[in-house]
Amino acid sequence: MTHRPQQFASDNYAGICPEAFEAMARANDGSASAYGEDVWTKRACDAFRDLFETDCEIFFVFNGTAANALALSALCQSFHSVICSTAAHVETDECGAPEFFSNGAKLLTAASPDGRLTPEILRALATSRSDIHFPKPSVVSITQATETGRVYSIDEVRAISFAARNLGLKLHMDGARFANACARLDCAPADLSWRAGVDVLCFGGAKNGLGLGEAVIFFDRALAADFEYRCKQAGQLASKMRFLSAPWLGLLESGAWLRNARHANFCARKLADAVEASPGVSLTFPVEANAVFLSAPPAMLDALREKGWLFYTFIGAAARFMFAWDADPAQVEALAQDIVEVSRTITP
Ligand SMILES: *Cc1c(COP(=O)(O)O)cnc(C)c1O
């Protein structure tokens, strides 16, 4: 059953993009070694090394919660802490998995208006206590693009990694929408990750066009020691690994990873441009990736729902619209027209 008309409540509503689907079908050719010892997995790892222009270590897991939680657990002892934003997915949407898999490392959250950390914020939190009674800061985690649809510039990531390094902290990047950030900045993935000081990147696949799967990328190979055991213990080692890795190969070799992200960002921009001048409606955050957050009176949001549109309001009561590789520009247009219409007919 397909959803008609197309909705933009989540970028996880999208199906699998053709490049990923075809690569999975190509890998479905006879038998192959299990648990990642197959040619598809090797080629997908090499494709990541080409993309990132470095000899990184790559692990394929089923979802983002596992990617983040296991990556953070590799960077922490149980008595450590992880500095992140109050809006971070690791804090708000992972059911305590980072704490669970690290055997108790604590997330130290900092409030910021748009979910972005700054060197000042992380320094203040990291130096707030230095006694033995407080969990020792060990890692900084940032999300790129953020949960609010914002993008850190390369210089901003560099400034954060510089501050982190000076405090002896590692830098983890939740890149569930890393491709959207690269598309926005039109930069090399290396410049936005290891060259800017990121130690471990969780590169999102599901929101980029896969059916499922995220890649945990260690730029500092020493940090990846025994990581395969963490994956296995957590139920994240796929036995028929080729079906998790081959779709990545499809995304990377065809360039679809970037095309998909560009298209998603384009659709967000298109909606924002069409509605931002409407009375009563305002953009909650600058639109920099594939998300549009709209602040509007509750009556307008109700009217939009009555017109059949689905959306969440869990961040600051704003209506969130997310776009993926499959967003139909005509449907984006239809949504924009309905927003303009409710803004005209409903007086705040
Ligand atoms: C979607 C998302 C994830 C991954 O979530 P899962 O549902 O566990 O795959 C991670 N981080 C951010 C910021 C996300 O938006």
Side-chain angles (χ1 to χ4, degrees):
M1 196 182 85
T2 54
H3 291 277
R4 291 271 180 246
Q6 187 180 45
Q7 294 284 347
F8 304 113
S10 170
D11 35 357
N12 274 338
Y13 280 19
I16 303 173
C17 74
E19 293 85 351
F21 204 77
E22 283 154 20
M24 170 112 101
R26 278 197 298 280
N28 190 27
D29 176 26
S31 70
S33 299
Y35 297 108
E37 299 298 317
D38 62 281
V39 293
W40 304 98
T41 303
K42 188 184 172 306
R43 279 178 59 194
C45 289
D46 286 341
F48 269 116
R49 292 181 188 116
D50 283 350
L51 183 68
F52 282 92
E53 308 169 60
T54 187
D55 189 21
C56 44
E57 192 81 81
I58 300 106
F59 298 87
F60 299 102
V61 297
F62 293 107
N63 59 35
T65 297
N68 285 334
L70 294 175
L72 289 174
S73 74
L75 305 178
C76 272
Q77 303 265 19
S78 59
F79 51 83
H80 279 147
S81 55
V82 176
I83 293 172
C84 64
S85 154
T86 47
H89 196 271
V90 292
E91 161 72 2
T92 62
D93 287 287
E94 299 190 355
C95 198
E99 294 92 330
F100 178 76
F101 283 108
S102 60
N103 292 309
K106 186 177 169 68
L107 301 185
L108 297 183
T109 60
S112 76
D114 61 1
R116 292 194 305 170
L117 289 185
T118 62
E120 294 70 38
I121 293 175
L122 83 88
R123 228 177 268 128
L125 208 49
T127 57
S128 64
R129 290 270 297 269
S130 58
D131 57 277
I132 200 162
H133 305 284
F134 196 66
K136 188 179 182 209
S138 167
V139 191
V140 176
S141 177
I142 58 174
T143 309
Q144 176 76 315
T146 68
E147 292 76 4
T148 56
R150 301 220 53 191
V151 171
Y152 290 95
S153 69
I154 293 171
D155 282 345
E156 285 168 335
V157 176
R158 279 210 191 113
I160 287 171
S161 77
F162 184 75
R165 219 149 289 255
N166 280 340
L167 292 158
L169 311 175
K170 301 274 183 250
L171 183 58
H172 163 259
M173 182 177 273
D174 174 351
R177 300 185 182 89
F178 182 75
N180 301 88
C182 290
R184 160 75 184 188
L185 299 174
D186 201 19
C187 68
D191 288 338
L192 199 50
S193 56
W194 64 274
R195 282 197 201 114
V198 174
D199 296 297
V200 182
L201 168 68
C202 296
F203 192 132
K207 286 169 184 148
N208 192 222
L210 297 188
L212 78 166
E214 316 274 303
V216 184
I217 304 177
F218 287 86
F219 299 110
D220 177 352
R221 288 172 145 263
L223 296 174
D226 289 344
F227 194 74
E228 61 272 29
Y229 290 92
R230 286 187 195 277
C231 292
K232 175 66 191 184
Q233 187 181 48
Q236 292 288 325
L237 177 65
S239 56
K240 295 188 179 180
M241 183 68 91
R242 62 178 148 149
F243 300 114
L244 196 54
S245 58
W248 276 109
L249 192 59
L251 277 188
L252 300 183
E253 281 191 343
S254 68
W257 73 277
L258 189 56
R259 272 197 306 281
N260 287 352
R262 283 199 176 123
H263 176 76
N265 291 4
F266 165 81
C267 289
R269 188 72 260 160
K270 182 177 166 72
L271 179 70
D273 287 347
V275 306
E276 69 181 328
S278 303
V281 175
S282 61
L283 300 175
T284 318
F285 306 106
V287 173
E288 296 172 342
N290 65 327
V292 176
F293 287 84
L294 293 179
S295 302
M300 280 189 200
L301 299 186
D302 289 344
L304 263 187
R305 286 201 181 88
E306 251 152 60
K307 284 178 175 289
W309 294 103
L310 304 178
F311 52 88
Y312 292 104
T313 52
F314 59 77
I315 294 184
R320 187 190 78 159
F321 296 97
M322 303 296 303
F323 302 90
W325 67 273
D326 69 337
D328 175 2
Q331 188 65 4
V332 178
E333 188 80 45
L335 171 59
Q337 277 172 11
D338 280 350
I339 293 169
V340 170
E341 193 190 309
V342 302
S343 136
R344 267 207 212 102
T345 50
I346 296 181
T347 8

